[in-house]
Amino acid sequence: MTAFRAQRGRLAAGGAALAGIGLLLGGAFLGLAWEAAASWEGALAAFDGYLLRVTRFTLWQAGLSTILSVGPAILVARALARHPRFWGREFILQLFAVPLALPAIVAALGVLALYGRSGYFAPLFAATSGDMWPGIYGLSGILIAHVFFNLPLATRLCLASLETIPADQWRLSAQLGMGAFASFRFIEWPVLRASLPGIAGLVFMLCATSFTIVLTLGGGPGATTLEVAIYQALRFDFDPARAIALTLVQVALTGTIVLALARLGASTMGDASLPVASRRALFPGAGEKVLNTTLILLALLFVAGPMLATVVAGLAADLVRLAGERPVHQATLTSFILASLAAVLCLMVSGALIMTRRALELARGARIPGFLERMSDSGAAMVLIVPPIVIGAGWFILLLHFGDVFAFAPAMVVAVNAVMAMPFAVRVIRPAYDAASARHEKLCLALGISGWNRFRLVDWPALRRPAAVGFAFAMALSLGDLGVIALFGSDDVRTLPYLLLQRMGSYRTADAAGIALFLAILCLGLMFIAGRLGKSRT
Amino acid sequence: MRTTTTIPVVAFGLFAAALPAAAQDTLTVYTYESFTTEWGPGPAIEEAFEAECDCDLEFVSVADGVALLNRVRLEGENTEADIVLGLDTNLINDARETGLFAPHGISLDNIDVPGGFEDEIFVPFDYGYFAFVYDTEAIDTPPESLTELVEAGSELGIAIQDPRTSTPGLGLLLWIKAVFGEDAADAWSELRDNVVAVTPGWSESYGLFTRGEVPMVLSYTTSPAYHRIDEDTDRYRAAAFSEGHYLQIEVAGRTVKGQDNALAGEFLTFMTGPGFQDVIPETNWMFPAGRTSEPLNPAFDDLVEPAETLLFSPEEVAENRNAWVDEWLSIMSQ
């Protein structure tokens, strides 16, 4: 009886969290269904050539981005694996983790500052070829930005799987005098082959749902993905019927990809924990050394380029004036408030789900997990099927019936960002909670500690650090997000990414560059703190 | 855990601050972005009107004119807007049909625009002719007609605006319809090769142009006057097209909500007078729709004069806009 009572609080918390997520997703789909029922003819008519072309472009650019990211990533990862003592290797790997933490709009701006027609690269090109640099609006810009994000990610993931090759095999290959090619074929490829579908699937998913990059670098209807088209249908066209058709296709598409990924057993989060490189008996030839060094340097140049451009362009901006501007202050404050609230909400929801899952696991003993337990387990990852823009679009259409949609901006941003960051927070906090629970569960029962007292005295000390990591992570994610705010943003509620988008729009590139640098520092700072806290477990 | 308690308090303060202090003394004007920037007409007009009315004039801006209409539609009866400023004649039928606008109730005697204008609800405040503006340092021989531009091939990069958000974007759509008629779709298929960027608003396109990202941009015959007067340079010019240029008359209207605000009527009257009109030519870079207290800067006399003025009636536009925009979208997404 006491045991049951002890679980009840945790179950209620999890139930409430699941209900909250259900409400968020359900509300979005209700909005879509409501409008679809009211204007089903319009929605049906929107399944036209435009929809087909947008879908085709979405898949096409995602496919190309995947090939261009993963292909070179294999080579670079291999080069790094075969040179465990490459000069600056640690630094390069650290640098390759940065794009993951960088807000997409900052990266887009960095890519533009470097490769745009008036970017740093253009005069160089003009001087060497005599021709005018054609610029990068459209497909080329989208591809460059996607590769900038995903080449380092894929490299780290490939490297992580290469690092699982036992040292014996490397030694054996050296003893047998295997050359680079033979060693690739017999040692490296079998390992890579197993992990490649998952890596490629993840990159494809990220590119197929990319919003900010396509919005800022697409350059027009010729290069529009489903997500951008949904945004445009609502904000440009005031055409909910078209938005519904696009949303249905988007959900079907991401649903298929996520299912396929689950089949492949791939991680949908995409981070690699790289072990310290083991001692390896590797004796690459001189030719291979040169080739590998070139590969690594090229990749380094490609990844570091836009980052450097962001810093240089940012420092060239009138930072003093920007720092004194009221809109900048307000956007910073709004961003911080919304991101903090989103992070708090994210922790609450994640914590509730984690506790419920654990409580259910304890209660069932060895039986098969029930529905609620499975929902509180993998249910968290399910939200990734429904992109933020889709949730935003559904609510946007629903809220049209209740007056000024823009007034709901803060609530929408907080809720959607909290839920989007949840899978990551769950992954950080759950191991710590489950471990603490395994240690203390019996003791708590024996002493009759439960509810709030138990949380405060027993669980919290063990959770403090992972919770802080989750908080910093969720906050960074929310700070840099330009999804829901693109739909709901207005002059009244502006976050830093939204202000950045506005400044880009009103040809104040220098301002945009300055804000981008500021935003990048904020997000990277938070990620750095999260990383530090995560590592130094005491 | 002090932070968790202060955050909601600060949050509340922030949102409370966003609400208008006292609805009675405030006039809220929705307009497009380039109007409210510090180099646009917004600041000077705000100062002039506030001096006259002893009130607070507040601008809320969106990307461009069509987005402005969509924004008001989205907000419906709950809109904060008393005045919506920056629609054009192509949109007034759609705007009227929303039922969100109220008659202006003022005299339009001061208003003088090409072809004349009479309407119960909307009041013109400026006008201009769409034109492609080019950089003489990047283009030696500009196209001399819309047909030449369409046939120029991808060598000649242009930035245009999206007709779903922007009135110049919609203007180009109508311009091409007016010139090519049935063959407009083919013209767009050809023109697509030239289009480097389609931006949501005019200011974004013009930014690409002045930064050198594109050598030619969809703008107005009056744009070169800005570079002449403010920057003292002849570098940027408008290309005169033999088929004629499409006319844009920009209008403002009072919302149903604004009907209760005495300041709204006051503002519309003010808008037709010199306090507003004097500001327009050299900040919005358009021709004033009313009398100015002094003649325009001579730079305005040197501009391209349209061989012919093209304009569809608001009814024709209202009837076809959705179909034409869909057609455009379908071609441009290929």
Side-chain angles (χ1 to χ4, degrees):
Chain A
M1 194 60 203
T2 347
F4 177 72
R5 283 257 294 282
Q7 311 296 17
R8 211 165 48 184
R10 287 193 275 187
L11 291 187
L18 278 177
I21 298 169
L23 181 72
L24 187 68
L25 297 184
F29 284 108
L30 177 71
L32 294 171
W34 187 341
E35 190 63 36
S39 59
W40 59 272
E41 281 166 325
L44 218 58
F47 281 94
D48 55 4
Y50 172 68
L51 181 89
L52 189 76
R53 277 187 288 275
V54 169
T55 312
R56 202 177 53 198
F57 182 79
T58 307
L59 295 172
W60 169 239
Q61 61 83 17
L64 280 180
S65 302
T66 308
I67 293 168
L68 291 175
S69 305
V70 179
I74 296 175
L75 299 177
V76 177
R78 208 185 138 267
L80 285 166
R82 290 179 69 84
H83 297 272
R85 276 176 297 278
F86 190 82
W87 191 80
R89 189 177 184 273
E90 275 303 298
F91 169 76
I92 293 171
L93 289 176
Q94 288 286 333
L95 194 78
F96 276 20
V98 170
L100 260 190
L102 214 56
I105 189 159
V106 173
L109 217 63
V111 166
L112 260 186
L114 189 59
Y115 302 111
R117 270 219 199 196
S118 50
Y120 298 121
F121 185 72
L124 207 73
F125 179 86
T128 46
S129 74
D131 270 342
M132 180 109 160
W133 172 243
I136 52 151
Y137 276 105
L139 183 62
S140 50
I142 296 173
L143 291 182
I144 289 177
H146 280 168
V147 174
F148 167 75
F149 272 110
N150 294 306
L151 171 73
L153 170 69
T155 302
R156 284 170 60 91
L157 290 170
C158 283
L159 185 60
S161 73
L162 284 175
E163 302 276 4
T164 61
I165 298 173
D168 300 351
Q169 292 195 10
W170 292 114
R171 195 175 318 127
L172 201 62
S173 85
Q175 279 166 354
L176 292 174
M178 282 188 186
F181 184 73
S183 137
F184 177 71
R185 193 173 150 204
F186 294 110
I187 312 273
E188 293 147 22
W189 177 242
V191 182
L192 280 175
R193 198 178 48 198
S195 58
L196 266 185
I199 298 172
L202 172 69
V203 172
F204 188 84
M205 169 82 177
L206 291 174
C207 295
T209 56
S210 156
F211 172 74
T212 311
I213 297 289
V214 182
L215 183 72
T216 44
L217 297 176
T224 298
T225 55
L226 285 164
E227 296 223 347
V228 173
I230 292 170
Y231 159 80
Q232 289 177 338
L234 287 177
R235 282 291 293 247
F236 285 20
D237 245 359
F238 186 58
D239 191 351
R242 190 188 288 285
I244 287 169
L246 290 162
T247 307
L248 285 178
V249 176
Q250 172 78 62
V251 172
L253 187 70
T254 38
T256 314
I257 302 172
V258 169
L259 276 181
L261 277 175
R263 271 284 163 86
L264 295 169
S267 141
T268 40
M269 319 274 195
D271 81 344
S273 45
L274 294 171
V276 180
S278 52
R279 275 169 172 270
R280 255 173 244 145
L282 276 170
F283 308 100
E288 200 200 340
K289 260 187 198 159
V290 172
L291 183 71
N292 285 344
T293 308
T294 316
L295 272 171
I296 295 174
L297 288 182
L298 277 179
L300 181 66
L301 209 64
F302 182 79
V303 175
M307 293 186 207
L308 269 179
T310 305
V311 175
V312 174
L315 290 177
D318 192 349
L319 292 174
V320 178
R321 178 179 55 77
L322 272 178
E325 261 189 36
R326 236 172 79 91
V328 177
H329 294 170
Q330 274 180 341
T332 309
L333 185 66
T334 309
S335 272
F336 260 100
I337 292 169
L338 294 184
S340 311
L341 289 175
V344 168
L345 188 62
C346 170
L347 284 191
M348 281 164 55
V349 172
S350 312
L353 286 182
I354 291 165
M355 289 181 193
T356 306
R357 197 204 67 83
R358 177 68 184 157
L360 287 165
E361 189 182 47
L362 288 171
R364 76 176 151 88
R367 270 171 296 160
I368 296 166
F371 174 73
L372 192 61
E373 184 183 337
R374 268 181 295 145
M375 279 309 287
S376 55
D377 184 7
S378 58
M382 292 280 284
V383 296
L384 292 177
I385 296 180
V386 193
I389 287 289
V390 170
I391 301 182
W395 277 94
F396 195 90
I397 294 171
L398 182 70
L399 293 172
L400 281 178
H401 299 280
F402 302 101
D404 179 8
V405 289
F406 299 101
F408 297 94
M412 285 314 302
V413 170
V414 168
V416 173
N417 283 343
V419 171
M420 288 302 137
M422 191 185 62
F424 301 91
V426 165
R427 216 180 26 155
V428 179
I429 300 169
R430 200 173 112 185
Y433 182 79
D434 287 358
S437 161
R439 226 176 311 143
H440 305 306
E441 205 66 50
K442 286 211 173 97
L443 187 69
C444 288
L445 263 181
L447 296 175
I449 304 180
S450 68
W452 176 245
N453 277 334
R454 170 179 165 164
F455 178 77
R456 193 169 55 92
L457 297 171
V458 181
D459 294 333
W460 179 243
L463 292 184
R464 213 162 34 203
R465 199 174 276 275
V469 175
F471 186 89
F473 197 91
M475 199 166 157
L477 215 63
S478 180
L479 264 184
D481 181 63
L482 180 82
V484 180
I485 193 67
L487 276 177
F488 285 88
S490 64
D491 282 0
D492 289 340
V493 184
R494 270 193 294 214
T495 61
L496 279 172
Y498 193 75
L499 183 71
L500 183 48
L501 187 69
Q502 278 192 329
R503 289 287 159 97
M504 270 176 91
S506 47
Y507 67 93
R508 303 218 273 178
T509 331
D511 282 11
I515 300 172
L517 182 62
F518 179 49
L519 189 59
I521 290 170
L522 286 180
C523 289
L524 291 180
L526 279 167
M527 287 292 193
F528 180 76
I529 293 170
R532 269 294 149 98
L533 284 173
K535 262 186 202 143
S536 58
R537 288 221 176 87
T538 42
Chain B
M1 294 308 295
R2 179 175 292 166
T3 43
T4 46
T5 50
T6 48
I7 286 164
V9 175
V10 178
F12 178 78
L14 181 82
F15 300 131
L19 297 171
Q24 209 43 52
D25 330 312
T26 311
L27 182 73
T28 307
V29 177
Y30 281 18
T31 186
Y32 50 79
E33 196 172 47
S34 59
F35 198 90
T36 56
T37 50
E38 64 218 43
W39 58 87
I45 283 168
E46 185 172 347
E47 201 179 315
F49 185 65
E50 283 178 355
E52 221 171 81
C53 72
D54 189 29
C55 67
D56 183 23
L57 175 62
E58 214 175 55
F59 285 115
V60 173
S61 64
V62 300
D64 211 330
V66 187
L68 189 59
L69 176 59
N70 289 338
R71 170 74 187 254
V72 179
R73 270 163 143 184
L74 284 173
E75 292 178 343
E77 285 165 14
N78 300 301
T79 185
E80 295 275 323
D82 297 309
I83 298 277
V84 175
L85 183 148
L87 306 174
D88 70 5
T89 49
N90 299 319
L91 296 172
I92 57 179
N93 244 41
D94 284 341
R96 185 180 299 126
E97 272 170 27
T98 61
L100 296 168
F101 290 90
H104 53 68
I106 64 162
S107 149
L108 296 189
D109 290 348
N110 285 341
I111 296 297
D112 180 22
V113 293
F117 186 87
E118 272 302 325
D119 194 84
E120 280 206 334
I121 294 179
F122 297 101
V123 184
F125 63 89
D126 67 14
Y127 70 94
Y129 300 92
F130 295 120
F132 280 91
V133 175
Y134 65 99
D135 180 354
T136 51
E137 284 179 17
I139 296 178
D140 295 329
T141 45
E144 289 178 4
S145 66
L146 202 51
T147 317
E148 267 189 50
L149 171 69
V150 164
E151 287 166 358
S154 58
E155 288 292 289
L156 184 65
I158 58 171
I160 61 170
Q161 295 99 53
D162 196 318
R164 290 174 297 170
T165 40
S166 148
T167 51
L170 181 60
L172 178 62
L173 190 80
L174 299 172
W175 191 2
I176 286 188
K177 268 285 175 214
V179 171
F180 294 93
E182 294 286 295
D183 301 325
D186 297 334
W188 274 111
S189 311
E190 260 188 275
L191 187 63
R192 197 182 55 221
D193 299 337
N194 306 34
V195 177
V196 175
V198 183
T199 65
W202 171 87
S203 37
E204 205 168 350
S205 286
Y206 212 75
L208 291 176
F209 173 65
T210 49
R211 280 206 309 275
E213 299 255 349
V214 288
M216 201 167 187
V217 65
L218 172 64
S219 188
Y220 297 88
T221 57
T222 35
S223 306
Y226 159 70
H227 300 287
R228 178 81 64 82
I229 296 169
D230 267 20
E231 297 178 343
D232 199 23
T233 171
D234 262 341
R235 180 175 164 185
Y236 304 103
R237 291 192 201 139
F241 282 176
S242 59
E243 299 98 338
H245 291 249
Y246 199 89
L247 170 67
Q248 177 181 43
I249 301 171
E250 293 198 285
V251 301
R254 181 163 63 148
T255 61
V256 173
K257 184 217 163 209
Q259 228 174 347
D260 303 330
N261 190 340
L263 291 169
E266 217 175 295
F267 181 81
L268 288 180
T269 311
F270 166 78
M271 193 178 80
T272 60
F276 185 104
Q277 294 294 326
D278 282 351
V279 180
I280 286 295
E282 293 183 27
T283 52
N284 216 29
W285 303 100
M286 296 282 275
F287 293 110
R291 242 167 310 162
T292 50
S293 48
E294 278 171 46
L296 299 189
N297 185 304
F300 279 88
D301 302 331
D302 278 349
L303 302 172
V304 165
E305 290 216 25
E308 201 183 326
T309 298
L310 308 170
L311 186 67
F312 284 107
S313 75
E315 293 74 25
E316 264 175 299
V317 178
E319 210 170 289
N320 294 302
R321 184 162 72 100
N322 283 343
W324 288 349
V325 169
D326 278 353
E327 180 188 78
W328 174 88
L329 197 54
S330 165
I331 295 165
M332 294 304 283
S333 65
Q334 272 164 24

